[in-house]
Amino acid sequence: MSDAKTELKPESKYPKPPARARPALSRHVQAWIDQCVELCQPENVFWCDGSPEEKQTLLKRGVKEGAFIELNQEKLPGCYLHRSNPNDVARSEQATFICTPSQDMAGGTNNWMEARSAYAKLRGLFSGCMKGRTMYVVPFVMGPIGSPLAKVGVELTDSVYVAVSMGIMTRMGTVAWKQLDAGVSAADPDAEPEFTRCLHSIADCNPQRRYICHFPLDNTIWSFGSGYGGNALLGKKCLALRIASFLGQQQDWMAEHMLLMGATSPEGEKTYVAAAFPSACGKTNFAMLIPPQKYRDAGWKITTVGDDIVWMWVDDTGRLRAINPEAGYFGVVPGTNDQTNPNAMAAMQRDTLFTNVGLLPDGDVWWEGKTPEPPAECIDWTGQEWTPGSGQKAAHPNSRFTAPMANNPALDPAANDPAGVPVSAIIFGGRRSRVVPLVYQAFNWIHGVYLGATLGSETTSAASGHVGVVRRDPMAMLPFIGYNIRDYLVHWFRMRKKMTDCPRIFHVNWFRTDDRGRFLWPGYGENMRILKWIIDRSRGRAYARETLIGWMPRSSDIDLDGVDVSFEQFEQLQAINVDDVKAEVMSQEELFLKLAGDLPKEMIFQRELLISRL
Ligand code: GTP
Ligand code: SPV
Ligand code: MN
């Protein structure tokens, strides 16, 4: 394919046919874009090529239109602030639909719309919705270029914020057209190339007319009425989790809501670990962990492959391997500071978009927890003047930073490796102030899948709705499974059969509190101590006791030297109360009922075994 930049101006005035603007494009891709242009009737079409110059153009345009506020460029070069509509600050799970011919394909945990009526409804909404606006054509690749799992998507959006964000979060631009071309077979050059059709309009950002619709059978996503990350950056949750989980089930691979980290020991032994925690439950922080001084002195190093999504497959030798499909981080800011996550702080020093944080008088940003003392004043995330006594939050609890992963000082060297990395351990974890111990290990894969499937967590501000209620969040994927959860669980059990030596599975909870509501475990960097035990268990080196819920370390099996946790406190962290476990089993009933009649037998047997151990 010839270079797009030499052939066309970035913007072509509609209704000049985009077909002539992009002669090298597959006619199938072109035809789809033409249809969307006809439907949405944008005034202009802007073809993104992913170049640094183009990013500057888009940022300038965003500043002019009010989508971005330029921050202090001396302190924060290349950084901008975006304030969203106050009604549009988190994922809208109620407005998220799996659209298939039958409801059974979506299953009991998803909102479902019949595919044809969903198209009809959304066609009505999209019709003419970009009048007077620019449509950005954003081609992107999810996954390292050349990876067998890498997928191409094209997002058509009328939001400059979305276009710039996609440029950070994905491998965006001409590279995607090339990858698409590379996928076309020589035998049938006119065959339809495989790509995800992503259509997005923020429209008038009305929550009553907000729909995030997935058509897994058509490899298509239509998102209307929201500009928020998980609803609008369609490569992320929509493609890389919902559509990808469906494709993975069909094609024998897995798309999971997991971080992926490498741990290098003083001896130079490298272990990769993946961990599934629900939204705003610590993936970014764990993935960027900086070990305590003593571990660093000894030579331990943690590196990040990904902080939110992994795609995994079983290689020829029977090992589970994984890639991070993303190229950036869309991370929670509140609570992030130089103590809790210095790597994230470093990553957001440049070329970062901040969404819904406070703006300081000198053009710097602030959020709750950034500094021990709040600033004397700032402009809060809604654009109002703010002082510490105002009783409001300066930053929205779900305010976010969008930074290229290349900014992470601890980026793993394999983050761009198409071959991915081998996974030795999988960790499930939730946010549980009570009941659930700090760490334990599943008896085996099937038990581990049961633990993942029954994962409970207190809800957070990452999704709109109540915060702090325990809900079941199977594999931290409840909002992201793109098909029937019954088939998803069966898929997890089946994948085991392809593996020769499967990863060990663990469960953690960094969030257990004492009677006064204080965290019992210091968390963050100190989680290294737990990770060390997990690595040693995965490699057959550490001791564990058999308990009714799984294998557990004794206090002597975890290094507590140099951390402010007494042996008694550790016992409190690891305590299991039989009555609590019974109540926990009962509270899983709700999930089991959603699966009624469809429950994989392994789930029933594991539950029976647990009950018989009580
Ligand atoms: P998503 O991006 O929504 O998928 O979230 P995430 O899982 O990446 O969550 P993240 O790491 O951003 O953490 C969210 C919140 O949990 C932040 O407010 C953190 O400060 C807090 N947090 C993370 N790790 C720990 C920990 O080890 N202990 C405690 N107490 N809090 C933590
Ligand atoms: C999450 O909610 O799990 C996120 C943020 O990672 S978003 O991409 O907006 O879904
Ligand atoms: Mn997430």
Side-chain angles (χ1 to χ4, degrees):
M1 171 184 279
S2 47
D3 188 354
K5 260 190 286 181
T6 60
E7 281 190 17
L8 50 106
K9 299 212 319 254
E11 194 148 8
S12 57
K13 195 87 175 156
Y14 183 74
K16 242 192 251 165
R20 246 175 293 135
R22 282 220 59 97
L25 213 56
S26 146
R27 73 178 173 84
H28 302 278
V29 181
Q30 186 67 65
W32 167 71
I33 296 175
D34 288 347
Q35 283 165 18
C36 294
V37 167
E38 200 172 310
L39 175 65
C40 303
Q41 297 167 33
E43 171 139 341
N44 299 297
V45 178
F46 186 108
W47 296 79
C48 294
D49 63 18
S51 66
E53 303 76 45
E54 174 186 88
K55 187 176 180 194
Q56 293 313 312
T57 307
L58 294 178
L59 285 166
K60 280 209 191 82
R61 181 188 286 225
V63 169
K64 216 164 87 188
E65 290 173 1
F68 299 125
I69 296 169
E70 191 179 72
L71 294 169
N72 183 328
Q73 294 299 299
E74 262 157 43
K75 273 191 167 174
L76 299 166
C79 295
Y80 292 78
L81 168 64
H82 169 76
R83 292 194 191 115
S84 77
N85 189 312
N87 75 31
D88 193 28
V89 293
R91 275 183 298 101
S92 314
E93 294 182 0
Q94 287 320 307
T96 302
F97 293 85
I98 301 300
C99 308
T100 47
S102 80
Q103 182 157 15
D104 185 68
M105 295 186 74
T109 56
N110 279 311
N111 298 317
W112 172 75
M113 256 198 262
E114 194 276 318
R116 276 191 315 192
S117 52
Y119 277 129
K121 183 180 193 88
L122 268 79
R123 218 174 269 124
L125 295 170
F126 273 107
S127 178
C129 72
M130 296 187 190
K131 272 185 188 150
R133 308 174 65 122
T134 296
M135 174 192 275
Y136 299 90
V137 179
V138 186
F140 61 95
V141 182
M142 300 309 291
I145 305 298
S147 169
L149 284 192
K151 297 272 174 288
V152 177
V154 181
E155 176 160 356
L156 308 179
T157 177
D158 57 3
S159 158
V160 70
Y161 167 74
V162 168
V164 175
S165 300
M166 287 293 287
I168 298 173
M169 294 303 294
T170 71
R171 291 153 176 98
M172 190 276 273
T174 310
V175 66
W177 300 130
K178 287 192 178 139
Q179 172 97 11
L180 207 56
D181 263 9
V184 173
S185 95
D188 188 3
D190 197 42
E192 186 157 12
E194 191 190 289
F195 74 105
T196 307
R197 295 156 174 76
C198 307
L199 178 60
H200 170 254
S201 174
I202 185 167
D204 56 356
C205 200
N206 177 353
Q208 304 308 313
R209 300 197 307 154
R210 184 171 290 162
Y211 294 93
I212 299 103
C213 287
H214 305 71
F215 302 86
L217 294 179
D218 306 335
N219 204 355
T220 293
I221 303 155
W222 282 15
S223 167
F224 189 88
S226 166
Y228 172 74
N231 297 335
L233 311 181
L234 301 186
K236 196 172 175 55
K237 304 295 179 169
C238 302
L239 192 168
L241 285 177
R242 298 196 189 94
I243 297 286
S245 63
F246 169 79
L247 292 174
Q249 193 253 0
Q250 310 262 300
Q251 303 165 356
D252 286 344
W253 53 281
M254 306 166 89
E256 299 296 334
H257 191 203
M258 291 178 178
L259 66 91
L260 183 57
M261 64 176 4
T264 310
S265 77
E267 296 76 35
E269 177 190 74
K270 186 134 194 197
T271 309
Y272 286 98
V273 172
F277 309 156
S279 302
C281 289
K283 288 183 300 302
T284 303
N285 280 272
F286 196 48
M288 297 180 141
L289 181 155
I290 295 185
Q293 189 66 48
K294 147 180 163 180
Y295 283 78
R296 274 179 288 157
D297 290 347
W300 279 96
K301 190 169 166 48
I302 300 296
T303 44
T304 315
V305 185
D307 82 326
D308 197 46
I309 299 177
V310 303
W311 289 354
M312 305 190 284
W313 72 102
V314 181
D315 70 12
D316 296 341
T317 70
R319 285 205 81 171
L320 191 65
R321 297 191 79 81
I323 54 167
N324 168 17
E326 302 190 278
Y329 308 129
F330 183 59
V332 174
V333 271
T336 307
N337 59 51
D338 290 324
Q339 278 67 51
T340 57
N341 194 345
N343 284 328
M345 293 301 284
M348 55 177 110
Q349 285 311 298
R350 58 198 150 87
D351 302 321
T352 295
L353 298 183
F354 292 92
T355 302
N356 293 338
V357 299
L359 174 64
L360 293 169
D362 70 346
D364 198 352
V365 284
W366 192 80
W367 52 82
E368 278 67 22
K370 185 186 184 194
T371 50
E373 292 300 320
E377 56 171 334
C378 77
I379 309 289
D380 73 14
W381 68 276
T382 66
Q384 305 299 306
E385 282 180 19
W386 178 94
T387 54
S390 68
Q392 309 283 320
K393 294 241 193 276
H396 187 275
N398 191 40
S399 52
R400 300 255 168 182
F401 69 94
T402 313
M405 71 175 179
N407 281 5
N408 178 0
L411 187 68
D412 191 273
N416 288 300
D417 188 344
V421 300
V423 178
S424 298
I426 291 175
I427 309 175
F428 294 112
R431 181 185 284 269
R432 295 297 300 272
S433 48
R434 296 185 56 254
V435 178
V436 179
L438 177 61
V439 60
Y440 59 103
Q441 182 186 355
F443 293 122
N444 52 39
W445 180 270
I446 295 183
H447 181 232
V449 174
Y450 171 80
L451 294 183
T454 54
L455 185 69
S457 196
E458 289 150 21
T459 49
T460 66
S461 59
S464 35
H466 293 293
V467 170
V469 256
V470 176
R471 75 166 179 185
R472 295 297 131 194
D473 192 345
M475 276 76 176
M477 281 286 282
L478 179 73
F480 308 121
I481 302 170
Y483 58 105
N484 192 315
I485 188 173
R486 163 199 69 209
D487 303 329
Y488 172 80
L489 295 177
V490 169
H491 186 48
W492 264 86
F493 291 123
R494 266 215 304 254
M495 286 300 286
R496 168 67 182 93
K497 297 181 186 157
K498 299 178 156 298
M499 298 177 218
T500 42
D501 189 13
C502 65
R504 307 298 187 263
I505 298 183
F506 299 83
H507 193 293
V508 300
N509 173 26
W510 311 141
F511 300 93
R512 199 166 190 177
T513 54
D514 64 14
D515 299 341
R516 294 161 64 184
R518 290 171 309 193
F519 290 119
L520 281 162
W521 179 249
Y524 302 101
E526 303 298 347
N527 294 334
M528 180 68 218
R529 298 164 190 273
I530 306 303
L531 179 63
K532 167 91 170 41
W533 181 78
I534 287 174
I535 291 168
D536 285 340
R537 283 296 293 173
S538 302
R539 293 186 174 274
R541 291 192 294 241
Y543 191 81
R545 207 156 54 83
E546 186 185 315
T547 72
L548 62 93
I549 59 170
W551 297 105
M552 293 182 88
R554 304 161 303 186
S555 55
S556 56
D557 298 312
I558 300 281
D559 171 25
L560 294 176
D561 176 47
V563 68
D564 193 18
V565 175
S566 64
F567 286 111
E568 294 70 41
Q569 233 172 310
F570 187 80
E571 295 302 321
Q572 215 180 329
L573 271 159
Q574 287 292 73
I576 27 180
N577 174 306
V578 176
D579 287 332
D580 285 346
V581 177
K582 282 181 187 161
E584 193 70 10
V585 174
M586 290 305 288
S587 76
Q588 293 167 4
E589 204 64 24
E590 193 190 340
L591 173 74
F592 280 63
L593 283 173
K594 279 191 183 148
L595 272 150
D598 272 344
L599 215 49
K601 61 183 179 310
E602 292 90 338
M603 291 284 292
I604 299 168
F605 294 152
Q606 284 298 327
R607 181 186 157 93
E608 288 302 317
L609 283 170
L610 170 58
I611 291 170
S612 56
R613 286 194 299 268
L614 286 172

